[in-house]
Amino acid sequence: MEEVSEEIVEEQLKGKTPKVGRSLWADAYHRLRRDKVAVVCFAVIVLYVIIAIISSFLFPNWAENYDYEHANLPPSWEHPLGTDDFGRSVLQETMLGARTSLTVGVMANIISVPLGMLLGAIAGYYGRFIDDFIVWLYTTLASVPGIIRLIAIKFAFQDVVLFANTPFEMDLGGGMSGIYIALGVMSWVGTCRLVRAEVMKIRELDYVLAAQAIGTRRIVILFRHIMPNLLHIGIIQFSLGMVGAITAEVILSYLGLGVGTGVPSWGVMISAARMDLVVGRWWELSSAVGAMFIIILALNIFGDRLRDALDPRLRTA
């Protein structure tokens, strides 16, 4: 409570009415706004999102812009990050790669976070054989290394195409849709464990017991009284899960199991330039690694600060 008291005194000295009893979300926003490192990291994330959105409009025909006369040029005023083996701008490829990585990160977590929260909440609240089955399921999945699980999923759906010949066609084997589903299905384990443990504590609280005492259905209690109190966990897991999804996409693309042919990706850039260092061409590899390093660092730091701000146990830390 020491931090709150100092804020109240400061506001009183300025002649303002002290704001006492902030909600969890208001307190989290206040903490993040005062944290300069978190603000800088958030600005970096927003910048990457803007680049990801506008890059496809700025460079719609990047993959077809072959210019062999200007291939493998070092960085210059005309090409700030040099050119690749086909004479295409590495800067443009790096910007387009941000779109690929962020899209995969967002879509994969849209699948994994709700799935993990739902299964974790059901296991923690209902217990008994339902809990035993879900625990067995995620324990089995967790026993297999993550990259092996992803590769297995990609090969299992290599020839599967959903909604063929429709605007919603998804090629699970060679397209980005397969990466979304593979990462989403395989990345819910951590969220499920965390939510299950939290629900096992919440279900013993007075307001849940009171709802049970007046005859409220268990499914209503779960979704109306328990799940809203887990929303902050979902937000935190989403931000931290972006890091794992982006890293996994780069690894799969490097191994040739990621995005389809002609789709710009940091992993594809690293794979294409892995032998360039031998002949002194460092710019393509450095651009991909640098871009990936900055966004992963920003997401990691912002995710940690977001966790500290939203975790009720750390509000007075």
Side-chain angles (χ1 to χ4, degrees):
M1 299 299 295
E2 182 179 354
E3 180 181 348
V4 177
S5 300
E6 291 178 356
E7 294 172 4
I8 293 175
V9 172
E10 182 180 351
E11 292 176 353
Q12 288 177 338
L13 291 175
K14 293 180 179 179
K16 299 179 180 180
T17 303
K19 299 179 181 179
V20 183
R22 293 191 187 97
S23 67
L24 173 67
W25 303 103
D27 183 67
Y29 171 75
H30 182 74
R31 284 171 173 263
L32 289 173
R33 189 181 63 180
R34 295 180 60 190
D35 190 334
K36 295 181 180 179
V37 176
V39 172
V40 171
C41 291
F42 181 74
V44 171
I45 296 170
V46 171
L47 177 61
Y48 268 74
V49 172
I50 294 174
I51 291 174
I53 293 173
I54 67 174
S55 59
S56 58
F57 297 101
L58 293 176
F59 320 115
N61 300 317
W62 171 85
E64 302 172 0
N65 292 335
Y66 299 125
D67 186 4
Y68 294 102
E69 294 182 359
H70 298 86
N72 295 319
L73 292 179
S76 62
W77 287 108
E78 185 178 359
H79 300 288
L81 296 181
T83 60
D84 62 7
D85 294 336
F86 301 100
R88 300 174 298 191
S89 172
V90 173
L91 176 60
Q92 296 178 12
E93 185 176 9
T94 304
M95 295 174 66
L96 290 167
R99 176 178 176 270
T100 300
S101 293
L102 290 179
T103 302
V104 169
V106 170
M107 294 300 296
N109 281 280
I110 286 177
I111 297 173
S112 67
V113 172
L115 180 61
M117 290 188 65
L118 179 62
L119 292 178
I122 292 174
Y125 184 66
Y126 287 97
R128 306 180 69 177
F129 70 92
I130 297 178
D131 183 35
D132 293 338
F133 173 76
I134 294 177
V135 170
W136 169 82
L137 180 61
Y138 73 62
T139 302
T140 302
L141 287 175
S143 64
V144 182
I147 190 64
I148 302 300
R149 298 200 307 264
L150 291 174
I151 293 174
I153 289 292
K154 285 289 292 181
F155 276 113
F157 295 102
Q158 188 170 7
D159 299 322
V160 177
V161 178
L162 300 180
F163 312 113
N165 301 321
T166 69
F168 306 100
E169 179 175 328
M170 293 190 299
D171 181 4
L172 302 187
M176 291 179 63
S177 304
I179 302 180
Y180 303 157
I181 296 176
L183 288 173
V185 170
M186 294 291 104
S187 303
W188 58 270
V189 174
T191 303
C192 181
R193 282 175 169 170
L194 186 60
V195 170
R196 173 179 173 271
E198 195 68 22
V199 170
M200 292 178 71
K201 293 187 295 184
I202 292 176
R203 72 181 183 183
E204 303 298 332
L205 297 181
D206 292 341
Y207 74 91
V208 175
L209 297 178
Q212 293 175 349
I214 62 175
T216 305
R217 297 176 59 188
R218 302 184 73 182
I219 189 69
V220 175
I221 294 175
L222 178 62
F223 285 98
R224 180 177 295 177
H225 299 294
I226 295 180
M227 291 297 287
N229 290 301
L230 303 173
L231 184 59
H232 67 285
I233 296 179
I235 295 174
I236 295 169
Q237 290 298 109
F238 192 97
S239 64
L240 295 176
M242 286 284 294
V243 177
I246 291 174
T247 305
E249 183 275 324
V250 171
I251 293 174
L252 288 175
S253 296
Y254 175 80
L255 296 175
L257 301 172
V259 297
T261 305
V263 179
S265 166
W266 294 334
V268 173
M269 292 175 65
I270 295 173
S271 178
R274 62 184 183 274
M275 297 302 296
D276 286 354
L277 292 178
V278 179
V279 293
R281 295 196 294 265
W282 50 267
W283 44 90
E284 185 173 6
L285 182 64
S286 300
S287 299
V289 173
M292 184 176 65
F293 170 78
I294 293 172
I295 186 60
I296 287 179
L297 180 63
L299 286 169
N300 263 320
I301 295 177
F302 185 75
D304 289 340
R305 302 302 172 92
L306 185 64
R307 179 192 59 200
D308 295 342
L310 286 175
D311 193 333
R313 293 167 295 184
L314 301 176
R315 292 180 67 184
T316 57

